[in-house]
Amino acid sequence: VFLGDLFDDLSTYQGDSEKCMEILSGIEAEYKYAVRGNHDVGGGAEWVYPGLIASAGFILLENDSAELPCGINLIGAADSTYFTADIDRFVTDGFDILLSHEPDPVAGTPGVELQLSGHSHGGQVHIPFVMDRILPDGAKKYYRGAYEKPDGGIIYVNRGFGMSLVPMRLFSRPELTVIDIKGE
């Protein structure tokens, strides 16, 4: 799954977008799903992101769901910075995985066994004992790692690879997460 923010600001992006797409396209997986992050809406990205992500073989879920043959129901929330996540109607009695770029606005969704989010960069810049982590709205409570929900589900917030606002990361290493889900 890709949890959004392909570019920080598409209107000022100076990197090699073809290389980015080559990397995403090169991910070999039977199923590839994505949600949109806040930076995939602003800066002109709202017009190109759906096509870019589709060309890399991903299916974009925005307030939508997809049932996988193994019985897992993927729910994709619309980006909470610009839109309203309207996802409650997609929760099933089965195993539900919620994909949401921002973790906090949808963290209370009952019945979701696993929520996967990003957005915070893990508190991209943090100097222990000197300054608190810089956390964006939508990721103040859940900002890195695994959290247990009151209903027994898990929220996992990935630190991601990129940077936003300042071109550095300090005490928040980039992260690619692999989660194995095993049936009972």
Side-chain angles (χ1 to χ4, degrees):
V1 297
F2 184 75
L3 297 170
D5 283 355
L6 185 58
F7 305 105
D8 187 37
D9 182 348
L10 183 62
S11 67
T12 61
Y13 182 69
Q14 297 177 0
D16 186 348
S17 58
E18 288 183 23
K19 183 67 174 170
C20 273
M21 297 319 298
E22 183 180 310
I23 291 168
L24 282 176
S25 296
I27 295 173
E28 293 184 26
E30 193 169 346
Y31 308 102
K32 293 165 59 169
Y33 288 90
V35 291
R36 195 187 302 242
N38 56 307
H39 293 286
D40 302 321
V41 179
E46 65 271 21
W47 309 114
V48 299
Y49 180 78
L52 289 173
I53 210 74
S55 71
F58 285 80
I59 296 170
L60 182 61
L61 295 177
E62 291 185 288
N63 290 337
D64 202 358
S65 68
E67 184 74 29
L68 300 180
C70 59
I72 292 175
N73 182 46
L74 286 181
I75 303 167
D79 174 71
S80 298
T81 300
Y82 291 97
F83 308 106
T84 300
D86 181 18
I87 53 171
D88 292 340
R89 61 192 163 152
F90 298 111
V91 177
T92 68
D93 291 334
F95 192 88
D96 295 308
I97 299 176
L98 172 58
L99 310 178
S100 176
H101 181 67
E102 294 93 350
D104 294 357
V106 296
T109 306
V112 170
E113 283 75 18
L114 177 61
Q115 174 183 323
L116 302 175
S117 296
H119 186 56
S120 68
H121 302 265
Q124 181 177 314
V125 177
H126 175 228
I127 303 172
F129 309 110
V130 175
M131 66 176 274
D132 288 335
R133 297 178 196 286
I134 300 171
L135 298 170
D137 288 339
K140 302 274 188 193
K141 183 173 182 180
Y142 304 101
Y143 64 90
R144 73 185 316 170
Y147 302 85
E148 188 170 339
K149 294 172 38 185
D151 67 1
I154 295 173
I155 298 169
Y156 187 83
V157 183
N158 183 284
R159 294 187 304 263
F161 285 94
M163 296 167 279
S164 185
L165 304 177
V166 293
M168 70 168 64
R169 290 182 81 116
L170 190 58
F171 293 103
S172 184
R173 294 183 342 195
E175 172 183 34
L176 172 70
T177 306
V178 176
I179 297 174
D180 291 320
I181 299 172
K182 298 179 181 181
E184 296 181 287

